[in-house]
Amino acid sequence: MTWFFLSLAAAFCMASNSAWLKRFFSDVSPWEMSVIPFFYAMPLCGVTLFFIDIPEIKPEFYTALIWVLPVTAIGFILHFRAIHISPLSLTLPFLSFTPVFVLFTGDLILHESLSAAGISGMLLVVVGGYVLNLDSTRYGWFGPIKAIFKEPGSAIMLLVSALYGLSSVGGKVMVINSSAMFAAMFLFGLYGTILPLILVAVGKVQFKNIIRKPLLGMGSGIIVFIEIVSHNLAISMVAAAYMITIKRMAGIFSVIYGWVLFHERGIRYRLMGTAIMTVGAALIALYG
């Protein structure tokens, strides 16, 4: 069950960082918002590398790194782009579909086998995550689905969900061919270094905006650092599809943040989605 609680910790940190960025960095561009957490987490990753055992690194590690790094970067950038150009209620529901993509990529790349109860739990979490993010007053049950053909942000977020499904499985390949901590620190230390440099160089990010709120930026970096550690340790212990499914319960924590910090409405759908996701998570934890 250790993997389950680590996955929940990753989910909590994911939701916490989104709330933190929304609360303190809404004045920057989506490009800058995608850079800030990892820029400030990068020193923590670099320092940690000096205090962990360096494992035997197999060639498959570097093969995966070559494509995981750009796929992860594109996913994060498109994620914030989608939120920036379209309503949250027409974009966030599609993140819940990540486990569906992991179901296929995990089998294709990692040859992971899942139980019938585990797959049932995954599907319940997907459905619950979708319901969780529905806007009860404006768009209704099929609003996000219809929006794929009208809202560019909706189509982008569906693509993001697929990219996350791919990068998560690739990240596990890196873990298998090194170690959980080394893979996490190396990948995100590199990510936090390269992405800001590229986006500053092409004019998408202004460095002064990244360092304008250093203490708040460090807060985001610490949250992401804990998420990275929890994510990689958890995914090293269980099938990637199960781990990512539990991590998608970040939606429940996001509901709490939205209600407490941002006074968001739509509680009926939120409660329905939370109940469905909880049943799905219990199936995975007990029978997966």
Side-chain angles (χ1 to χ4, degrees), residues 239-252:
Y242 289 158
M243 184 272 154
I244 294 301
T245 301
I246 299 303
K247 187 177 179 181
R248 279 297 166 260
M249 294 186 72
I252 295 176

Side-chain angles (χ1 to χ4, degrees), residues 53-161:
D53 294 329
I54 304 300
E56 176 188 358
I57 304 173
K58 299 176 182 177
E60 292 82 358
F61 174 91
Y62 297 107
T63 303
L65 176 65
I66 290 173
W67 63 265
V68 169
L69 190 64
V71 168
T72 301
I74 294 169
F76 283 132
I77 292 172
L78 290 180
H79 181 145
F80 289 102
R81 176 62 177 165
I83 290 174
H84 183 67
I85 63 177
S86 296
L88 289 177
S89 54
L90 295 182
T91 53
L92 287 182
F94 292 105
L95 280 183
S96 300
F97 287 89
T98 302
V100 176
F101 292 108
V102 177
L103 185 63
F104 294 103
T105 56
D107 178 60
L108 180 65
I109 298 175
L110 299 172
H111 309 292
E112 294 177 334
S113 59
L114 309 177
S115 69
I119 293 174
S120 298
M122 287 176 56
L123 294 177
L124 282 174
V125 172
V126 170
V127 172
Y130 180 86
V131 173
L132 192 76
N133 290 289
L134 286 175
D135 187 313
S136 62
T137 59
R138 294 181 61 192
Y139 303 112
W141 289 94
F142 299 103
I145 300 297
K146 295 177 182 177
I148 294 177
F149 305 100
K150 298 179 181 179
E151 284 282 346
S154 298
I156 289 173
M157 193 61 89
L158 186 59
L159 173 61
V160 169
S161 186

Side-chain angles (χ1 to χ4, degrees), residues 139-200:
Y139 303 112
W141 289 94
F142 299 103
I145 300 297
K146 295 177 182 177
I148 294 177
F149 305 100
K150 298 179 181 179
E151 284 282 346
S154 298
I156 289 173
M157 193 61 89
L158 186 59
L159 173 61
V160 169
S161 186
L163 291 173
Y164 284 168
L166 187 60
S167 64
S168 297
V169 171
K172 183 163 184 176
V173 172
M174 294 176 63
V175 169
I176 292 172
N177 290 282
S178 58
S179 71
M181 285 297 292
F182 178 81
M185 298 304 105
F186 189 86
L187 174 63
F188 286 95
L190 197 60
Y191 179 79
T193 303
I194 293 176
L195 186 65
L197 291 175
I198 292 175
L199 293 182
V200 168

